[in-house]
Amino acid sequence: MNMLQQHTSFIKQSATALGFDYCGIARAQKLDEDARRLENWLNKGFHGSMHYMENHFDMRIDPAKLVLGAKSVITLLKNYFPGEQQKPGTPKISKYAFGKDYHDVIREKLKEFIEIIKLNIGEIHGRGFVDSAPVLERTWAQLSGLGWIGKNGNLITKQNGSFYFIATLITDLELEYDDPFAKDYCGTCTKCIDECPTEAILPGKVIDGSKCISYFTIELKDQLIPGEMKGKFDNWMFGCDTCQDVCPWNRFSKPNNEIRFTPLPEILNLSTKEWEEMTEEGFKKIFKDSALRRTKFKGIQRNLKFLQQDA
């Protein structure tokens, strides 16, 4: 086994030992096709008021702009499918937010991952990203052979569906590269398009982010949700999983084994009335380590009011 193979093998074994479910590696390169697609998407205003999407365009499409001398992009997947579901009739919350905030959990693992690599391979330069930097992580996952991008814009794995967090590590370490995932197993299925409550999923794997329930309930900072969305939220209070819940590939989803993703009892059980009666102090205490902090107490209150107008 040569040095390249040894390093690659070590990295994949370490990823597994740290609790990641998949690890794929692609050659660091400029993503010209994605650049054209992203530019077109932004020009059509599909990002709504998420103006940060317009920033750092060059960094999004070129890993060398994020890590000098970048040679490899390592993609890691971590399952978040919960073993328990919410009680029927409770305000619906996206499954990724059931437990501890994944940003904190995965950042910690990425930091450890980089330290392990440095300790065993030597001084390398690398940066880890999880959903909060200008990285086109789903493209890198597909280029690393982990799955394909479905009609709903999510990365889908053939083995276990799409309920995965994606983490990316860009490094100047040369490694062996996996073959890109070449097939698309969505076929003629259009369930995600047909079932999207706000018709945010367009043909050609294009998502109009400005019409997505996740956008309205989390990203939109306005005090009012547009009136034309009335009656369309299907009781989603934070995020939306409809396009994943109806995807046939997610029948293969298995509960995660990450203790920190254990669902908060309040998320599973609180009734609409209990949510409405919650104080800001109570919210901050219960959800201090939760992704629900992202929309803040005022955002939750606004979303609940909007859902009550739907009722």
Side-chain angles (χ1 to χ4, degrees):
M1 197 188 277
N2 65 31
M3 196 65 80
L4 220 59
Q5 290 168 327
Q6 279 178 34
H7 288 168
T8 305
S9 175
F10 175 78
I11 276 168
K12 293 201 170 185
Q13 284 169 16
S14 300
T16 303
L18 280 168
F20 289 105
D21 297 276
Y22 291 97
C23 174
I25 306 169
R27 184 187 300 279
Q29 57 187 302
K30 204 173 169 191
L31 301 172
D32 293 322
E33 195 184 321
D34 283 83
R36 286 189 291 273
R37 210 163 30 229
L38 179 59
E39 195 168 20
N40 192 32
W41 188 80
L42 290 167
N43 288 339
K44 288 183 174 168
F46 288 159
H47 56 314
S49 64
M50 296 180 284
H51 300 300
Y52 63 86
M53 298 290 290
E54 300 163 31
N55 304 335
H56 312 298
F57 187 87
D58 288 351
M59 287 184 181
R60 285 181 196 278
I61 58 159
D62 187 358
K65 293 271 197 297
L66 288 162
V67 173
L68 202 64
K71 289 192 175 74
S72 304
V73 180
I74 302 166
T75 299
L76 305 150
L77 302 186
K78 181 127 183 86
N79 177 20
Y80 67 85
F81 189 73
E84 298 172 274
Q85 304 303 323
Q86 285 186 278
K87 229 166 56 176
T90 53
K92 292 199 274 191
I93 292 165
S94 219
K95 293 175 188 63
Y96 79 80
F98 276 19
K100 192 174 179 185
D101 191 338
Y102 68 97
H103 293 96
D104 301 333
V105 174
I106 294 175
R107 266 197 211 109
E108 194 183 297
K109 284 183 181 291
L110 278 174
K111 202 175 165 188
E112 201 179 335
F113 192 34
I114 294 168
E115 289 308 312
I116 288 168
I117 294 169
K118 285 181 177 176
L119 199 65
N120 290 272
I121 291 176
E123 191 50 45
I124 58 123
H125 293 100
R127 285 178 72 187
F129 304 95
V130 52
D131 187 35
S132 55
V135 175
L136 298 172
E137 65 265 353
R138 281 167 293 190
T139 296
W140 289 115
Q142 188 264 324
L143 289 173
S144 303
L146 299 182
W148 73 97
I149 295 169
K151 289 174 184 169
N152 60 6
N154 285 311
L155 178 85
I156 304 174
T157 69
K158 206 177 173 192
Q159 294 82 2
N160 302 109
S162 65
F163 288 102
Y164 284 94
F165 295 125
I166 307 176
T168 312
L169 175 59
I170 300 171
T171 173
D172 61 356
L173 177 68
E174 194 170 353
L175 296 163
E176 285 196 317
Y177 304 116
D178 294 297
D179 293 328
F181 200 96
K183 291 191 175 180
D184 182 325
Y185 288 98
C186 286
T188 56
C189 176
T190 57
K191 281 190 175 181
C192 59
I193 298 171
D194 302 337
E195 298 293 330
C196 176
T198 56
E199 298 175 358
I201 305 174
L202 308 176
K205 303 183 182 182
V206 175
I207 311 302
D208 183 347
S210 70
K211 286 172 80 174
C212 179
I213 291 173
S214 289
Y215 165 73
F216 289 119
T217 56
I218 302 169
E219 299 288 348
L220 187 71
K221 303 308 174 199
D222 300 347
Q223 267 311 294
L224 291 172
I225 293 168
E228 64 266 23
M229 288 294 144
K230 212 172 277 184
K232 293 184 177 179
F233 275 29
D234 192 27
N235 209 29
W236 285 104
M237 181 182 74
F238 183 93
C240 178
D241 284 336
T242 300
C243 65
Q244 295 196 86
D245 288 339
V246 301
C247 176
W249 287 101
N250 280 326
R251 69 186 185 275
F252 300 121
S253 297
K254 291 182 177 72
N256 73 77
N257 55 13
E258 172 59 61
I259 193 79
R260 287 174 290 182
F261 293 161
T262 302
L264 287 168
E266 289 82 359
I267 282 175
L268 296 181
N269 301 311
L270 285 184
S271 66
T272 301
K273 191 171 186 292
E274 286 169 316
W275 275 105
E276 287 172 342
E277 289 172 353
M278 191 182 293
T279 63
E280 186 162 8
E281 192 186 352
F283 176 82
K284 284 179 176 172
K285 191 177 172 184
I286 295 165
F287 301 105
K288 67 181 192 304
D289 297 323
S290 162
L292 264 72
R293 290 174 307 179
R294 198 161 151 203
T295 198
K296 299 190 171 71
F297 179 65
K298 277 184 182 166
I300 293 289
Q301 282 186 316
R302 175 201 63 182
N303 297 347
L304 281 166
K305 275 184 194 143
F306 189 77
L307 292 180
Q308 288 318 296
Q309 289 170 19
D310 276 7

